[in-house]
């Protein structure tokens, strides 16, 4: 969708608040996604993460005791009005799985908050990770 902000229809349809969706339901999603990883054994997973919460995904997919490789890339794209935008992409991996963590979709500093940001990031991921 072109507008990456919170859609109030989600609250209406699912009968949950934005805060509940992003916080308390995360533990349930973590268990669900872990079971999917065990069943289907993907080689790569792309996650969107709000600033400074990347470790939640690392713990969800790798646990707390894994030996991991870590790489951070600072990526720049030309945004709207010819302003240079900078984003952080983190890759955490072991021998079986590569977890690629990109900025969250939505309003806020450092997030992918425009259609162009999402398209540029998708193209970058395609060219560099897939």
């Amino acid at each position: 969708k072109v507008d990456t902000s919170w859609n109030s229809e989600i609250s209406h349809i699912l009968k949950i608040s934005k805060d509940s969706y992003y916080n308390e339901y995360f533990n349930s999603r973590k268990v669900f996604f872990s079971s999917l990883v065990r069943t289907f054994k993907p080689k790569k997973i792309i996650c969107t993460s709000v600033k400074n919460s990347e470790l939640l995904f690392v713990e969800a997919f790798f646990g707390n005791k894994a030996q991991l490789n870590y790489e951070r890339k600072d990526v720049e794209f030309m945004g709207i009005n010819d302003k240079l935008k900078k984003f952080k992409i983190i890759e955490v991996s072991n021998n079986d799985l590569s977890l690629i963590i990109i900025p969250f979709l939505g309003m806020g500093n450092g997030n992918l908050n425009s259609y162009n940001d999402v398209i540029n990031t998708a193209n970058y991921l395609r060219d560099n990770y897939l």
Side-chain angles (χ1 to χ4, degrees):
K1 71 183 185 135
V2 174
D3 177 5
T4 58
S5 63
W6 176 258
N7 184 336
S8 61
E9 282 294 305
I10 296 171
S11 296
H12 176 72
I13 293 169
L14 299 178
K15 308 285 189 249
I16 59 171
S17 69
K18 177 181 175 182
D19 188 54
S20 293
Y21 179 81
Y22 288 121
N23 293 309
E24 69 184 67
Y25 287 96
F26 183 77
N27 286 330
S28 297
R29 291 192 307 260
K30 190 165 55 171
V31 170
F32 172 69
F33 286 125
S34 293
S35 71
L36 290 176
V37 169
R38 282 192 305 277
T39 302
F40 296 104
K41 300 180 183 4
K43 297 291 183 199
K44 295 183 188 280
I45 298 174
I46 298 172
C47 298
T48 60
S49 175
V50 295
K51 195 173 189 177
N52 301 321
S53 65
E54 297 88 357
L55 192 54
L56 293 171
F57 290 100
V58 173
E59 291 172 358
F61 291 107
F62 293 108
N64 293 325
K65 298 180 182 176
Q67 291 285 330
L68 302 172
N69 301 308
Y70 174 91
E71 183 177 353
R72 173 187 166 151
K73 292 186 180 178
D74 293 315
V75 180
E76 296 180 337
F77 300 119
M78 194 57 67
I80 298 174
N81 301 328
D82 294 326
K83 289 186 177 181
L84 194 62
K85 298 194 72 174
K86 296 180 182 184
F87 300 104
K88 158 178 81 169
I89 296 178
I90 294 173
E91 182 175 14
V92 180
S93 62
N94 63 16
N95 293 333
D96 301 318
L97 176 63
S98 177
L99 183 65
I100 302 158
I101 305 169
I102 65 172
F104 193 71
L105 306 171
M107 303 311 286
N109 190 21
N111 286 343
L112 305 178
N113 54 23
S114 74
Y115 182 73
N116 281 352
D117 291 348
V118 174
I119 295 301
N120 287 331
T121 301
N123 290 335
Y124 183 86
L125 292 171
R126 179 199 60 217
D127 295 344
N128 293 278
Y129 292 98
L130 305 177

